[in-house]
Every structure is written in structure tokens, then in C-alpha cells.
Amino acid sequence: MTHVDGLSQAFSAAARKDFGPLTSTPPDPASNQQSVFPPEWRDDMRRHVHDLADSWDDDAAWEGMTQAGGVELPAEIMGMVALSELVLHGWDIARAAGISFDVPDEILQVVFDFHFPPQPQDERDGMFGPVVEVPDDAPLADRLAGLTGRDPRWSRTTAQN
């Protein structure tokens, strides 16, 4: 949850070209280990994710160069990375919470196309695990999960067995 909240803030700043600590610092993996959240975490995350969407809704966000996580990229690529992060971590959270993952196929296809064909594994390390084979006729969400190293068959109940 802290990763999604942090990336929402960083990619919002990247869209606005508001460079500073939010955009110049790589994510701290230790900060993702938080087990106790402040009471207002849901409202904060909702606000930050909405701000992310609003920030990238501005045409200027997609122009020029920008920075997030200490990485500088063309804004059009950074916007795709932000979308990918939200979709993929949305899948992670939905699976972990045991809730449905309802993202329109139009969005899933954009993210799938962004990651296909997959990079060699040595270039994916640290971002994605090995590709999980999924049938070509499987739902797009499952194919995207497999492409990005997630097992679409995973659920809370299979993890507990």
C-alpha cells in the first residue's frame, strides 16, 4: 500500500514537472514494509491516486522530459510507466484482498502492449519475475499478469496452502 501511495505522489509530481525529493529519489524498499497504517491512510491514498489521474489528464504532462524515482524519461514514456504501476499493483492488491479486478480491456491492452514483448530476464530483474506462461486465449488480465511475472492463478487461498 505504501508503494502505491508513494508512486502516486511521485508520478503526480512528474506529470506537473514539479521536481524535487518526490521525483529525484528512488523508492525505498524498506518503506514498503509498513505494517501499521495511520487511520487516514485510505483517504490519503484515494486523494493521491485521484491527483495522479488529474495530473496526467493535462496535455502538458505528456510533453518533454520528466523524472520519477530518480529516473529521467520522456514524459510520454513516464506516463505509461505510471499507468502500468497502477494497473499492475492494482492487480496485486485486488488478489491479496480477494476482490475482483475490474479494469477495462482497453486499458489492460495498452499496458500489455507497453510490456510486450518482454525484455530478457536479466533486464527485468528487480522489476518483474520470470514470465508465467498463460494460454493465448486466457483473459487479458491473466495474460498481463503472466507477462509481468505474476501467476494469474494466485489467490489468498492458494498462498495459504
Side-chain angles (χ1 to χ4, degrees):
M1 298 292 202
T2 55
H3 180 66
V4 173
D5 191 50
L7 75 85
S8 296
Q9 293 176 66
F11 282 106
S12 294
R16 293 187 304 270
K17 315 293 191 290
D18 183 13
F19 304 129
L22 282 175
T23 61
S24 63
T25 308
D28 177 10
S31 71
N32 295 331
Q33 305 304 316
Q34 187 173 353
S35 60
V36 177
F37 297 101
E40 64 281 354
W41 74 268
R42 286 180 184 87
D43 292 334
D44 289 346
M45 185 180 299
R46 184 178 298 112
R47 187 177 68 255
H48 294 149
V49 170
H50 281 251
D51 184 43
L52 173 62
D54 290 344
S55 296
W56 285 98
D57 196 33
D58 182 350
D59 290 341
W62 297 87
E63 299 170 358
M65 298 293 288
T66 194
Q67 184 181 55
V71 176
E72 189 172 341
L73 290 171
E76 61 189 23
I77 302 294
M78 194 67 77
M80 289 300 304
V81 172
L83 176 62
S84 174
E85 287 276 336
L86 281 181
V87 168
L88 295 174
H89 291 307
W91 185 91
D92 296 337
I93 292 168
R95 284 300 168 108
I99 59 177
S100 65
F101 179 68
D102 298 321
V103 174
D105 277 352
E106 297 82 29
I107 293 172
L108 294 174
Q109 189 67 57
V110 167
V111 176
F112 184 91
D113 292 346
F114 184 64
H115 293 290
F116 189 84
Q119 299 168 297
Q121 188 57 47
D122 63 335
E123 295 176 28
R124 294 164 49 98
D125 285 341
M127 291 186 298
F128 303 120
V131 171
V132 175
E133 295 299 322
V134 177
D136 290 340
D137 62 349
L140 186 54
D142 290 354
R143 289 185 285 137
L144 175 59
L147 179 66
T148 57
R150 292 156 169 83
D151 185 344
R153 296 173 299 268
W154 187 92
S155 70
R156 290 186 319 177
T157 54
T158 61
Q160 294 170 353
N161 294 333

